[in-house]
Amino acid sequence: MCGIAGFIDFSKKSDEGILRRMTDAMLHRGPDDGGYEVYDDPSATVGLGQRRLSIQDLSASGHQPMHFKQYSIIFNGEVYNFKSIRADLEKMGYTFSSGSDTEVLLKGYDAWKDAVLDRCIGMFAFVIYDRTRREVTLFRDRAGVKPLFYYWKDGRLIFGSELKALTEHPEFVKDIDQRSLALYLQYSYVPTPYTIYKNTHKLKPGHLLRLRLGNGLLEHVAYWSVLDAYKRPLTDLPEKELIDRTEALMKDAYGLRMVADVPVGVFLSGGYDSASVAAILQAGTASRLKTFTIGYKEQQWDESAETRRIARHLGTDHHEWIVGAEDARDVMEHLPEIYDEPFADNSTVPTTLVSRLASKHVKVALGGDGGDEIFSGYHKFGQALKYTGIMPRPVQKALSFGMGLIEPDYIPYFNRKYNFSSRYEKMRQIWQSGNPQQALKYISQYLTEKETDHYMSQSWQRYKTDFDLNGELKDVNDPLNRLLAIDYRTFLVDNNLVKVDRATMSVSIEGREPMLDHRLVEHLATIPSSLKVKNGVNKYILKQIVHRYIPQHLMDRPKKPFIAPLQVWFRDELRERMQYYLAPERLARTGLFDAANVQGLLRRYLDGGKVSHQKLWNILVFQLWYDRWIEKL
């Protein structure tokens, strides 16, 4: 696991000093080694930098940039099956001087070019410079576990694992994209391919970006798409055989993620996803697996006791940390540095804390992210299908029209219910569209577009995101699977994977996501909704597998979300901080918010109104980010 950075500069003004600053801005991603090289092409200056976190082959032979023939590579991530790929290459006559997966990937590229990706099982973002063909290619893994940002303007491509690397380049212009800000306020993250800055993008998962130095042309190529997996015919395998095959794939995928030359552990939250990882891996080894969890001093949020019982049953070497508002206060000071783009998922605090706990014992930690997307765990999927199918389409349209004539704040009794105006507007939009995919979009928003208009100071144009896929989904094999595909391409990649990558890398440990093995994803994509949700039970297949390792009574309980109790802390220990950053004079500094409307929201919340704390959290996090990355630089 590493951090990579670089540039292709047709003006030839970028130098090694700039490259070093860009790369070393991510020292936390790779404290073990650093490499910086600048090459002179006839048309451009090419810079490749890498910070190394040694996981495979801890020797100096894994140093990067790494070279072979006309190729140079910088690599972030892991190719878990690199030993089998290496064996194939050795049969072809290739020899190796290291035990690293980077060398295997580089020589695999020499042998098969882009098709080497078809052989790779892993998570990665890497860049290859081909001096003979005079092209630089950026690659990102299928799920988007590893990040890769790029800035393209005025004949200059700047790229890196984190935005902080790009901002170190003197020609990077930190212009805030208001359209991206609007998306952030709605979802609490900026969806791919957009970023908070203009002219700056996230490379899409399953894509490569090639820049030809001879003519300066950029080429985007999709080498894998989850939509293709969901367009395959549904399986007709009997239920038991299907469950057995799924378990076999999980065992292989999880086992591959244990390959490392350093200690490995598991984040254990007590839910089915992480429990499946811990259970399957512990069953396959005689040594005690290290597991880590966070609990809360506020009992209504704490499930550390339940997690402890699961760990005890499995026999893991379990570690836990019970945290409170004082720990959250410390993390909040660092959130803008860790998440250098506005990012307001309310589990950033516990994810950062559990990463800190794990870093005292291991250098690699496996998690359960992806389980809800591929096994169908979120209730929002069922809600989207239910709300759009609950009544005939003409009735939905008539209801939506009528709701548009009534202001929800004037509806007696209901206007005192929690977050009522937002929920009212969402239902109006859902029935207006009559489309489950659009329903999922509205359900996923913390602020509706109408509310976003209300709190922003200027009007903004809408960006299309993967929530707006429509024709692209027409051949998907199952109504539920359409929603899973959308969530895979939105909430999973831009929320959950961002959260874990930045939190783990902030303390220099590698987070791995065994449930996102593309073979498992492709297999589950062919399973019909009747088996993913059976007799009202979400994640039916996963639960049947977990119950083979953990008694059902230990697992079947109301699941508490892995989030921080912000609504408790905001009204107590963190109240002053929120009032400070959302004060009119501080809001006015950005010129992006309607200070009076934001203040009105804050007053209603602090007065005990039924206001969603997430709306204020989104704005507060942006203010913290702005203070760090715009005002202080």
Side-chain angles (χ1 to χ4, degrees):
M1 188 60 57
C2 309
I4 59 175
F7 51 73
I8 299 93
D9 188 350
F10 288 93
S11 73
K12 295 199 171 187
K13 294 180 180 179
S14 302
D15 57 25
E16 184 177 321
I18 293 172
L19 180 65
R20 283 180 175 270
R21 290 196 298 274
M22 292 175 61
T23 307
D24 289 349
M26 302 179 294
L27 181 65
H28 54 284
R29 294 189 76 94
D32 298 327
D33 186 24
Y36 325 85
E37 295 183 6
V38 177
Y39 319 98
D40 188 26
D41 176 87
S43 300
T45 299
V46 178
L48 300 180
Q50 194 246 19
R51 292 298 322 183
R52 184 184 180 202
L53 179 65
S54 301
I55 301 295
Q56 307 284 1
D57 187 352
L58 309 186
S59 73
S61 61
H63 178 80
Q64 297 179 38
M66 189 178 288
H67 312 286
F68 179 68
K69 294 183 178 178
Q70 76 268 32
Y71 307 108
S72 298
I73 186 174
I74 48 175
F75 175 63
N76 169 27
E78 303 288 348
V79 177
Y80 301 116
N81 63 328
F82 76 96
K83 292 182 179 179
S84 64
I85 299 174
R86 173 172 171 156
D88 292 339
L89 289 167
E90 287 174 333
K91 292 176 184 177
M92 298 170 64
Y94 288 88
T95 60
F96 294 85
S97 59
S98 76
S100 72
D101 52 351
T102 306
E103 185 181 5
V104 172
L105 185 60
L106 182 58
K107 293 179 178 177
Y109 187 79
D110 178 64
W112 303 301
K113 299 300 182 288
D114 296 346
V116 68
L117 297 166
D118 298 332
R119 299 170 179 261
C120 293
I121 300 172
M123 57 178 188
F124 45 79
F126 64 96
V127 179
I128 290 183
Y129 172 35
D130 183 337
R131 284 176 290 277
T132 300
R133 300 185 65 166
R134 298 183 61 211
E135 59 188 30
V136 179
T137 309
L138 285 62
F139 303 83
R140 193 176 182 197
D141 66 67
R142 298 171 182 87
V145 178
K146 291 294 101 187
L148 192 52
F149 297 88
Y150 67 94
Y151 174 83
W152 175 240
K153 187 183 180 186
D154 299 332
R156 190 177 290 107
L157 182 70
I158 307 170
F159 56 85
S161 298
E162 296 184 15
L163 281 174
K164 58 174 64 70
L166 279 63
T167 62
E168 287 294 324
H169 196 290
E171 298 301 322
F172 182 86
V173 181
K174 293 190 294 182
D175 285 340
I176 292 177
D177 187 337
Q178 292 197 29
R179 300 166 76 179
S180 294
L181 172 59
L183 289 175
Y184 159 75
L185 292 175
Q186 291 170 63
Y187 299 108
S188 79
Y189 57 83
V190 180
T192 297
Y194 314 110
T195 74
I196 195 63
Y197 297 117
K198 293 179 180 177
N199 303 307
T200 311
H201 313 274
K202 302 178 180 85
L203 182 59
K204 293 181 179 180
H207 279 68
L208 62 87
L209 177 70
R210 179 165 287 127
L211 176 59
R212 303 189 187 278
L213 303 183
N215 56 21
L217 293 180
L218 276 178
E219 176 189 17
H220 293 261
V221 179
Y223 68 86
W224 188 88
S225 171
V226 73
L227 295 183
D228 292 335
Y230 279 107
K231 289 177 180 178
R232 293 163 52 200
L234 292 171
T235 182
D236 58 358
L237 286 175
E239 180 179 311
K240 185 180 184 305
E241 185 177 344
L242 192 60
I243 292 173
D244 290 344
R245 181 171 296 187
T246 303
E247 183 182 10
L249 275 171
M250 291 167 66
K251 286 181 177 179
D252 188 65
Y254 295 5
L256 275 178
R257 269 88 181 157
M258 292 295 287
V259 175
D261 295 329
V262 294
V264 180
V266 174
F267 293 143
L268 184 62
S269 70
Y272 276 91
D273 301 335
S274 62
S276 78
V277 178
I280 287 175
L281 290 178
Q282 186 62 77
T285 180
S287 59
R288 295 180 70 196
L289 187 70
K290 293 183 183 299
T291 54
F292 307 94
T293 194
I294 288 293
Y296 296 113
K297 294 177 180 178
E298 293 80 9
Q299 289 299 310
Q300 67 268 37
W301 302 98
D302 182 53
E303 60 177 1
S304 59
E306 294 89 339
T307 305
R308 197 180 311 126
R309 283 193 285 270
I310 293 171
R312 189 180 302 120
H313 172 80
L314 295 175
T316 69
D317 179 13
H318 190 58
H319 305 261
E320 66 180 38
W321 183 9
I322 307 301
V323 303
E326 66 279 6
D327 303 296
R329 188 183 303 111
D330 177 62
V331 170
M332 283 184 64
E333 296 289 343
H334 297 92
L335 283 182
E337 187 68 35
I338 296 171
Y339 298 92
D340 51 12
E341 179 173 63
F343 182 76
D345 181 274
N346 52 18
S347 59
T348 52
V349 172
T351 305
T352 302
L353 290 171
V354 76
S355 298
R356 289 182 180 180
L357 173 64
S359 69
K360 299 175 182 178
H361 304 273
V362 299
K363 287 191 75 172
V364 174
L366 280 63
D369 290 290
D372 287 305
E373 287 80 7
I374 63 176
F375 283 101
S376 186
Y378 295 129
H379 292 296
K380 62 186 177 183
F381 304 133
Q383 290 172 339
L385 293 169
K386 176 184 176 181
Y387 294 157
T388 53
I390 199 169
M391 61 188 72
R393 185 76 189 100
V395 177
Q396 290 183 31
K397 294 179 72 172
L399 278 173
S400 176
F401 177 79
M403 292 172 73
L405 301 176
I406 303 171
E407 178 60 46
D409 288 340
Y410 296 132
I411 301 177
Y413 176 73
F414 292 103
N415 60 6
R416 297 192 299 272
K417 296 293 184 180
Y418 175 77
N419 207 27
F420 175 70
S421 60
S422 295
R423 292 155 61 194
Y424 181 93
E425 174 63 12
K426 288 181 180 183
M427 285 307 307
R428 187 193 68 78
Q429 291 178 303
I430 288 170
W431 283 334
Q432 183 182 52
S433 73
N435 184 316
Q437 293 86 259
Q438 286 295 293
L440 180 63
K441 170 183 175 178
Y442 301 134
I443 292 169
S444 300
Q445 293 175 345
Y446 291 104
L447 273 77
T448 65
E449 291 185 359
K450 183 178 179 181
E451 288 174 314
T452 304
D453 287 336
H454 184 65
Y455 295 117
M456 289 183 67
S457 62
Q458 302 175 36
S459 60
W460 48 280
Q461 292 181 307
R462 274 60 170 168
Y463 272 140
K464 179 181 178 181
T465 72
D466 280 349
F467 280 110
D468 301 307
L469 294 177
N470 193 6
E472 301 94 328
L473 299 169
K474 65 182 179 66
D475 295 324
V476 168
N477 54 28
D478 184 282
L480 175 61
N481 284 345
R482 291 192 187 96
L483 305 183
L484 301 186
I486 292 173
D487 219 50
Y488 186 98
R489 289 174 56 140
T490 54
F491 184 68
L492 173 66
V493 62
D494 291 315
N495 190 90
N496 293 348
L497 298 184
V498 169
K499 173 182 60 183
V500 175
D501 174 80
R502 305 303 190 278
T504 53
M505 295 300 335
S506 73
V507 291
S508 303
I509 64 173
E510 176 177 284
R512 296 181 177 180
E513 307 294 358
M515 303 191 87
L516 293 178
D517 188 299
H518 72 276
R519 300 167 301 163
L520 182 60
V521 172
E522 291 172 348
H523 164 70
L524 290 169
T526 65
I527 295 177
S529 57
S530 59
L531 284 177
K532 286 177 176 167
V533 180
K534 185 174 180 180
N535 298 326
V537 177
N538 289 355
K539 292 185 185 174
Y540 174 78
I541 293 173
L542 178 64
K543 290 179 178 180
Q544 299 308 304
I545 293 169
V546 171
H547 293 160
R548 294 175 175 180
Y549 299 86
I550 303 172
Q552 186 170 349
H553 73 270
L554 287 181
M555 297 300 306
D556 279 354
R557 64 187 189 281
K559 181 71 173 74
K560 298 174 183 176
F562 187 62
I563 60 176
L566 295 175
Q567 59 266 56
V568 177
W569 296 344
F570 275 166
R571 287 198 170 101
D572 192 2
E573 287 91 340
L574 302 180
R575 181 185 182 113
E576 289 185 5
R577 178 175 294 273
M578 185 162 60
Q579 289 174 316
Y580 173 77
Y581 280 101
L582 299 188
E585 59 272 19
R586 295 202 65 86
L587 290 167
R589 290 185 188 182
T590 69
L592 297 168
F593 297 106
D594 185 309
N597 289 338
V598 173
Q599 276 286 298
L601 178 68
L602 177 60
R603 282 194 300 272
R604 291 197 301 275
Y605 178 78
L606 294 178
D607 288 343
K610 301 295 185 178
V611 175
S612 170
H613 72 279
Q614 187 69 42
K615 297 175 182 179
L616 290 163
W617 178 238
N618 287 6
I619 300 172
L620 172 60
V621 168
F622 178 85
Q623 290 290 95
L624 292 167
W625 173 85
Y626 188 91
D627 184 64
R628 167 62 182 89
W629 292 103
I630 305 299
E631 287 201 332
K632 288 187 178 179
L633 291 178

